[in-house]
Each structure stands twice: as structure tokens, then as C-alpha cells.
Amino acid sequence: MKPETTAAGAPTSASGKGRIELQHVSKGYGEAWERQEVVSDVSLEIAPGKLTAVVGPSGCGKSTLVNLVAGFESPESGRILLNGRPVGGPSHERMVVFQETALMPWLTTYQNIVFGPRIRGDMPKKALHEEAVKLLDKVGLSEFKDKYPIQLSGGMQRRAELARAIINRPKLLIMDEPFRGLDAMTRELMQEFFLRLFEENRRTNLFVTSEIEEAIILADHLVILSNRPARVREVIDIDLPRPREFAMLGSREAYQYKRAALELLHEEAMKSFSEQQSVQAGLIEAISSRGS
Amino acid sequence: MPHPARMNPAGNRHAAVEVVDLCMRYGSITAVDRLNFSIAGPSTVGLLGPNGAGKSTVMRILAGFRIPSSGRAAIAGHDLLTARRRAQAVTGYLPETAGGLGRLTALELLTGCCDARGIRGPAARRAIGRVGEDLDLAPVLGKRLAALSKGWRQRVWLAQALVHDPRVLILDEPTDGLDPIQKRGIRRLIKQLAATRVIMLSTHILEEAEAVCERALIIDHGRLLADARVEDLVDEKGRHAPLFHALTAAPGSARAVR
């Protein structure tokens, strides 16, 4: 199989093309002596129409980074810009976080997808219906539009959630471990499905994951975060051609990306591990000296 | 064997929550394994266990989100398989991953949830007024969910579970991801709500069960290890829970507190 290479200039549309810049962003929690920095001096550009994947050791501060970019939390220092304007005002409504969310169990697929815009009334009824029908088709759920979540498989539920997120036409889609909790087979199907969806629309995407291969097959840029507090350890550009195919994971390039990423992550994980060890050793010492 | 119908303090013939031989299998994995329990009247019951113990699966089945592989579950006598809509009508559900819909304001979310429950017009305004007051939502009703702190967002999602004044509340990890102050706030609310309702909440934090629950169901690998009063799970100093840790470490010791 020989994949075609598409030009870098992907299809254009009014929405989905936000450019995000993080400039020296830091964030910590707690007061004085118990203060802990979680995100430390992160500078990063999330290019329009590209998929930027973020991986890091568990507990490194990925979720905080997501909350900051989404505008759920504000940085203590540094700034985050969407298309050149600081995030934090009304602009963050143009971003949608997609994580393992919940459909309303008592609404049908269709009702779940149109729930938000219908309540807001910010889309004419007819246009909303047409958009919903289009999206249902895109996520392969046309035949299931009148079914309730209980009647859908896990993968179908996740696709319905995805449709509910993108019906808002966000400038940036933030995916926070979106396929977590799915079984291996469903996960791979979702990755493939999402890959097609992304390549069709090229919506600027920040994709947080703990799966390296998932990151490599989806991403244009792979950001490796350090152990907590999260710093940008390295940005690896993934130059695999698009449209991507899963078979590319077997290529020499993909293998090299994976090896480089794993090495960095391993180093960071070891740092975290040895810190825990020393904290533990310190505790044991403290306890035993008190006991004697 | 199903438990016989019983009278609870509220005078309702059916148990508020009834779970009989419930099983959930995903391929070769058994997430819930022959689970049996029953909750009679107003009380707060914690479903406890480590991550991956099967808590969320049980909660999702009770919310009418998942069909069990075998066995049955019923809310107020309405079987979740044969009378799901009726069961859902008397249940409020806070999903573990409450989120999304960030562009809606709190008021819009609540209006939408009322609408979906068939509560409209003045009745919806009354319902939102009631939960808004109970949960002190006034400062955030006009704000977008995406702009709220996690604690406030969780409060709004909790309100969503209450608009139709349900008899039973299913709260899946209600304080997960909140900071200590936010946790305290949500726990205080849960205690308030417990006076007139059956609340079932899942948690992997023992302190949470201690703080709000009267009864704890401890599960691991989908199996019920213990069904005990929470005070029995705490030692005399009230700080440690050796029994709980022993239970989760050694399933065989479950009989000790039955």
C-alpha cells in the first residue's frame, strides 16, 4: 500500500482553524510551603489545522494543561492566545473539550447531539436539523439516531459524544484522552474513524493521550512533557504522509519516532520514580528515628 | 433469589434500589460478578472499591445506561430492562464524567434537562428555582459551564440530577477531581439532600464514605466483599480503616463484617 501525500495546505473553512499560542505558561497550587508547581514555563504553538498530540508520564500535569488551554483555569504567569487574542474572555467558548463525557441516558442519539444548540437557540431549527443529520452520517450513526445510549455500543456512544462536541464548530477541539476506557478493538476503530474525520476537516486539534502509537499515527506534532511540573521536554514533528494508514506504524520512521518518544518518557518516568523512592526513604527514616 | 417486597419507612412497597444476581461481562472480563443488594428507604449508601472494581459499571446499569449481561436491577420497583423510562423518571444521575456542553450557561443546561424530562414553562422555572436555592446556584446561573470552576460545574451537574425531584440519586464519584474545599462543599450538599432521598454514591476514597454515608457496599473485581455500616469500617481513632484495607487486600475476610 502506498499512501498518497496531501499538500500541507489542507482544505479551508471558516471554523476549526484556530491558532493557539502558549507563552511561558506556569501554574501551581497550594500556599507557601505546601505549594506545588504543576505546569512550569510551557511555551508551545498549536498550529492551525494541525493535530498536536501531548504525551507525558502519568500525573505530570497534562490535565492541568488542558484546563488552562480550555480556559477552565487561568495561568499564574504567562499567557495563552487564541488567534492572537488572550484566552480567558469569551473566546474560550470557541474551544470544546472532548473527553470521556456523558450522554444523557434518557435522550436519544439525535436529541443528545442537538441538545446544546437547541437549548441555546443559536442555530435556526432547520439548519440545526440538517447539521445534525450530516453529523450523524459522518459518525456512522444515522440508523441509530432514535436509539437511546443504552442501545449503543461503547464505540457508538463515544462517536455520539464526538458529534455532540463538534456540532458547535469549535475553532479548537481539545481531546483529553478521548478513547480511554474502550477495549483495544474499539479503540483502534475509534482512532481510525477519528483520523478520517480529522483529515477531512483539519480542525485544529490538541490531543492528549498516554498511548504513544495513537499519538504517532494521529499527530503532526508530538509534544513530550517532562515529569511534574510539566515542561516541554521535546517536540517531535511527525512527517508521515497523509492520509495516514495504520500500516504506517510498521514503517522505519514510525519506529524511530516511537523509540525517541519512549526513551524520553522513560527518562522522565525514572525521575518521578526515584523522587518517590527518596520521599519514601525519607519518611521511613523520619518514622524510625521518632520511634527510637 | 430476589428479595421479597418490603415496606420501607416511606411506606413504599418496593425497595428504592434492588440488585439481584447482577453480572456484567465484556468478552472474557467480568466487571460485575453476581452482585446482590437492596436499599430500602432514605439513606446514603456508598459503593466503595479501588479503581476498576466495577463501581462505574454498576452505577451505569442503575442509571439505565448499560444493559447487564444477566441478573436484574430495579429502581423503586421499575425494572431497568423492562421499565427503563419509568425507572429513569424517578432517578437523578450524576455521571462520573459529567462535562461537555461547555457553551451552555448553567440556566440553559437546567432548562434543557427540565425540557427533556417534560417539565416546561412555569413548572420548569419553579423546578430550577427550587434546585437553584437548594444548591445556592444564583451566582452562576447565567455563566457558561466552561467558564466555571470544577466545583461549581459539579454543583450545576448535581442540580441537573435534581430538577425532577427524584426519589433516588445515583452519584458516580461525585467529588472526583475536586480540590479539598470543593469536595467539602459537595459533601455538605449530599448530606442535605439525603434527608428525603435515597442516595447511592460510588467512591474510591474511604474518607468520602465516612463523611457522608451510613452504609458501605465494598466491591472488588465486581464482587461484593462487604455490606457494612460505615462506622464499623473505621477504627476507634476514626482515622484509619484497617478493616477496609484488609478487605480490599484479602477478599476472603469479607465475612468478618457481614
Side-chain angles (χ1 to χ4, degrees):
Chain A
M1 174 208 57
K2 189 175 175 299
E4 294 171 54
T5 310
T6 50
T12 52
S13 79
S15 64
K17 296 291 175 209
R19 170 195 300 275
I20 306 285
E21 288 161 87
L22 283 78
Q23 300 173 343
H24 306 288
V25 169
S26 295
K27 176 82 179 176
Y29 299 98
E31 309 263 320
W33 61 273
E34 53 175 7
R35 199 191 129 73
Q36 280 203 323
E37 197 163 44
V38 180
V39 172
S40 178
D41 193 27
V42 167
S43 292
L44 196 60
E45 190 189 326
I46 302 168
K50 300 279 185 192
L51 193 148
T52 301
V54 173
V55 296
S58 74
C60 77
K62 292 191 291 270
S63 297
T64 303
L65 197 64
V66 164
N67 287 342
L68 289 168
V69 175
F72 295 161
E73 297 180 46
S74 328
E76 281 172 335
S77 59
R79 27 181 230 164
I80 301 174
L81 306 173
L82 169 61
N83 293 339
R85 288 207 311 266
V87 164
S91 63
H92 66 240
E93 73 177 81
R94 304 303 297 157
M95 305 182 206
V96 170
V97 175
F98 176 73
Q99 55 200 152
E100 196 187 341
T101 60
L103 300 168
M104 310 266 182
W106 55 90
L107 294 180
T108 63
T109 308
Y110 179 89
Q111 289 168 335
N112 264 297
I113 290 174
V114 301
F115 184 89
R118 202 173 74 84
I119 293 301
R120 289 184 59 81
D122 57 2
M123 245 167 122
K125 260 191 173 158
K126 193 159 163 280
L128 176 59
H129 175 71
E130 281 165 8
E131 184 74 19
V133 168
K134 214 168 74 191
L135 270 174
L136 277 162
D137 179 50
K138 215 171 255 184
V139 299
L141 290 176
S142 297
E143 281 172 45
F144 296 88
K145 75 179 178 65
D146 295 322
K147 302 283 188 212
Y148 289 87
I150 196 172
Q151 295 162 306
L152 306 180
S153 69
M156 288 175 175
Q157 288 186 359
R158 218 50 78 84
R159 279 181 279 151
E161 289 165 10
L162 193 56
R164 187 178 67 174
I166 55 186
I167 200 163
N168 295 305
R169 302 186 183 212
K171 282 192 177 135
L172 169 73
L173 193 56
I174 304 169
M175 315 272 285
D176 189 3
E177 306 221 28
F179 308 139
R180 182 174 51 193
L182 294 174
D183 63 76
M185 176 79 94
T186 310
R187 185 168 186 135
E188 195 176 314
L189 287 172
M190 280 301 291
Q191 289 164 351
E192 191 150 8
F193 162 78
F194 176 70
L195 191 55
R196 295 288 91 87
L197 197 70
F198 169 75
E199 288 179 343
E200 198 177 310
N201 293 301
R202 290 300 185 96
R203 213 180 292 276
T204 309
N205 197 304
L206 178 65
F207 195 104
V208 176
T209 178
S210 43
E211 296 266 315
I212 304 253
E213 290 201 338
E214 178 172 281
I216 290 173
I217 200 65
L218 296 176
D220 297 295
H221 309 290
L222 174 57
V223 178
I224 313 257
L225 294 179
S226 70
N227 181 26
R228 198 172 192 151
R231 293 187 181 85
V232 175
R233 177 68 207 269
E234 184 94 52
V235 180
I236 303 176
D237 294 333
I238 308 289
D239 283 328
L240 298 172
R242 290 194 188 270
R244 300 265 172 91
E245 301 288 342
F246 270 80
M248 290 176 192
L249 281 174
S251 72
R252 196 184 153 76
E253 291 92 330
Y255 174 76
Q256 279 165 346
Y257 293 138
K258 188 178 170 183
R259 223 181 79 165
L262 279 175
E263 250 168 46
L264 291 165
L265 284 171
H266 184 71
E267 262 176 46
E268 292 302 326
M270 285 312 287
K271 276 185 210 164
S272 152
F273 183 70
S274 56
E275 267 167 36
Q276 280 167 18
Q277 295 280 307
S278 66
V279 168
Q280 253 170 28
L283 269 176
I284 290 167
E285 203 173 306
I287 291 167
S288 47
S289 65
R290 200 182 56 175
S292 62
Chain B
M1 284 295 291
H3 294 278
R6 63 181 78 169
M7 296 287 281
N8 62 31
N12 296 301
R13 193 163 51 85
H14 297 284
V17 180
E18 178 97 275
V19 165
V20 182
D21 287 333
L22 197 70
C23 288
M24 186 65 156
R25 285 177 289 268
Y26 301 102
S28 61
I29 299 163
T30 303
V32 178
D33 194 0
R34 286 161 294 163
L35 202 59
N36 285 282
F37 65 85
S38 166
I39 304 172
S43 60
T44 307
V45 178
L47 185 63
L48 268 92
N51 282 322
K55 301 186 297 287
S56 260
T57 306
V58 175
M59 301 304 258
R60 282 171 165 237
I61 290 169
L62 291 175
F65 224 136
R66 281 263 167 240
I67 301 173
S69 310
S70 63
R72 56 180 285 268
I75 305 279
H78 306 298
D79 191 289
L80 277 156
L81 216 54
T82 57
R84 176 169 46 84
R85 304 299 297 279
R86 260 186 248 157
Q88 285 176 336
V90 295
T91 310
Y93 173 49
L94 176 70
E96 181 185 11
T97 50
L101 302 168
R103 296 185 68 192
L104 294 183
T105 65
L107 182 60
E108 285 168 344
L109 176 76
L110 297 178
T111 310
C113 288
C114 281
D115 185 76
R117 300 266 189 192
I119 308 167
R120 299 186 181 105
R125 281 195 288 279
R126 271 198 305 276
I128 295 169
R130 175 177 51 78
V131 295
E133 198 168 310
D134 288 351
L135 276 64
D136 290 322
L137 292 180
V140 298
L141 277 179
K143 292 196 177 149
R144 287 180 203 280
L145 297 176
L148 297 180
S149 69
K150 267 193 182 163
W152 276 111
R153 242 182 299 151
Q154 194 68 343
R155 215 174 249 252
V156 172
W157 274 91
L158 188 57
Q160 161 279 138
L162 289 163
V163 287
H164 54 307
D165 201 11
R167 217 186 118 197
V168 177
L169 269 183
I170 304 290
L171 312 177
D172 200 355
E173 300 268 359
T175 66
D176 206 29
L178 302 184
D179 69 37
I181 294 167
Q182 295 167 338
K183 274 189 202 282
R184 234 176 291 152
I186 294 288
R187 284 174 191 163
R188 211 168 27 233
L189 283 175
I190 292 171
K191 274 196 208 158
Q192 273 171 34
L193 295 167
T196 52
R197 288 180 182 79
V198 172
I199 299 183
M200 185 156 170
L201 66 91
S202 66
T203 179
H204 61 278
I205 311 162
L206 183 65
E207 287 72 28
E208 179 133 321
E210 280 178 38
V212 295
C213 298
E214 290 135 36
R215 177 178 162 198
L217 304 166
I218 299 179
I219 65 169
D220 194 17
H221 295 103
R223 274 196 297 263
L224 189 65
L225 297 186
D227 180 348
R229 291 184 310 163
V230 165
E231 63 224 57
D232 293 338
L233 296 173
V234 185
D235 75 356
E236 57 278 11
K237 285 178 191 154
R239 281 182 308 175
H240 305 289
L243 193 50
F244 171 73
H245 294 302
L247 283 172
T248 44
S253 58
R255 260 168 267 115
V257 290
R258 275 242 167 100

